[in-house]
Amino acid sequence: MSTYQRNAEATSGSLWERAPDHLAYRGSREYITGLVERPGVAGVPVPACPGWTVLDVVGHLLEVCRTVAADAPGNLWEVPHDGSGDGLAGLLAEWARLDGPVERVVTESPQLRHTMLMMDAFTHELDIRGALGVPVVPEHPSYPSSLDLVVRGFSAAVRTLGLPALRIETPGAEWLAGDGEPAAVLRGHRHDLLRSLTGRRSLGQIAELAWSAAPGPWLPAFTWGPFHPPAKPVEAVLAER
């Protein structure tokens, strides 16, 4: 079981007060648009997405958005990047036009895949920020629900691999990944935890986080769903623990 537990120190209005998925998603879309509406950005490689450029990432995000806006079935993890040839400006324009349909679908019939939509956009926002050397937004509204979601996926991997439960902690929140009493605790800044759980940190970087026990048994569980830790670091640990 993966459970979210509000820490006693968390207060109303803190980081851990969740934004609705469609508003957090819109925030990432607007941030990304502002980041990439500059000459020469489209072809910049994105190290966190090997083989993809900024244009490819935005094309992928648009295709995922189309899928949700049409309320079409399908695994969002498997949606490819767009190959329309419309160029970055065209992709961004269509993405903005789909804002209303996406909000309607997400608010009228909330589903887990809508949180996936938001988390995917936030993850790629962070990828693009890293590629362009732009700092992250410290209290981005997508952190809480994104972490809830990815810990849920990680927890399923912990169970599948038959590993003991792990407690994951960050200031203001904690989760239990797996079943039963936790055998260890992983502590880290929300940003480092999120990037570790979404295949953006190498196993060596993950092992260097604050563990209460040797991390080796749990490292295989960081490969889950669409996420695979890179063989070599693609980004530095940005936050203090």
Side-chain angles (χ1 to χ4, degrees):
M1 177 179 64
S2 173
T3 57
Y4 171 81
Q5 301 170 349
R6 185 177 294 275
N7 189 297
E9 285 74 30
T11 59
S12 177
S14 73
L15 169 72
W16 298 104
E17 185 170 341
R18 286 155 181 70
D21 286 342
H22 72 282
L23 293 180
Y25 176 73
R26 180 182 297 156
S28 281
R29 179 182 62 76
E30 292 176 346
Y31 276 131
I32 290 169
T33 299
L35 289 169
V36 305
E37 282 187 326
R38 291 180 287 165
V41 169
V44 172
V46 180
C49 303
W52 279 15
T53 63
V54 168
L55 179 66
D56 293 322
V57 174
V58 174
H60 160 78
L61 289 167
L62 174 58
E63 195 61 38
V64 173
C65 182
R66 287 170 176 161
T67 300
V68 173
D71 204 14
N75 185 347
L76 297 185
W77 299 143
E78 298 174 356
V79 172
H81 70 270
D82 176 80
S84 67
D86 288 339
L88 189 53
L91 298 179
L92 292 173
E94 182 180 352
W95 197 15
R97 288 195 298 271
L98 290 174
D99 186 71
V102 165
E103 179 176 356
R104 184 165 54 253
V105 169
V106 171
T107 56
E108 289 180 356
S109 179
Q111 301 173 30
L112 181 63
R113 75 197 306 249
H114 300 154
T115 303
M116 293 179 182
L117 169 77
M118 176 276 300
M119 186 276 294
D120 183 63
F122 181 39
T123 296
H124 289 307
E125 177 194 333
L126 297 175
D127 295 341
I128 290 172
R129 287 180 180 277
L132 300 180
V134 179
V136 302
V137 176
E139 295 195 3
H140 197 294
S142 292
Y143 277 112
S145 293
S146 293
L147 276 164
D148 285 355
L149 179 64
V150 297
V151 171
R152 179 173 177 169
F154 174 76
S155 181
V158 168
R159 291 197 306 272
T160 298
L161 294 171
L163 300 174
L166 176 70
R167 188 164 73 244
I168 300 175
E169 297 180 352
T170 194
E174 64 178 39
W175 301 262
L176 179 66
D179 298 321
E181 289 296 316
V185 179
L186 167 60
R187 297 181 178 90
H189 189 280
R190 58 186 175 271
H191 181 78
D192 292 326
L193 291 177
L194 181 65
R195 299 303 274 172
S196 296
L197 290 163
T198 53
R200 268 62 181 179
R201 296 287 168 78
S202 69
L203 293 180
Q205 289 176 307
I206 295 170
E208 291 175 355
L209 295 175
W211 293 80
S212 68
W218 291 276
L219 294 181
F222 284 86
T223 297
W224 66 272
F227 302 123
H228 302 269
K232 297 180 179 180
V234 296
E235 64 181 34
V237 175
L238 299 181
E240 295 181 359
R241 294 193 294 274

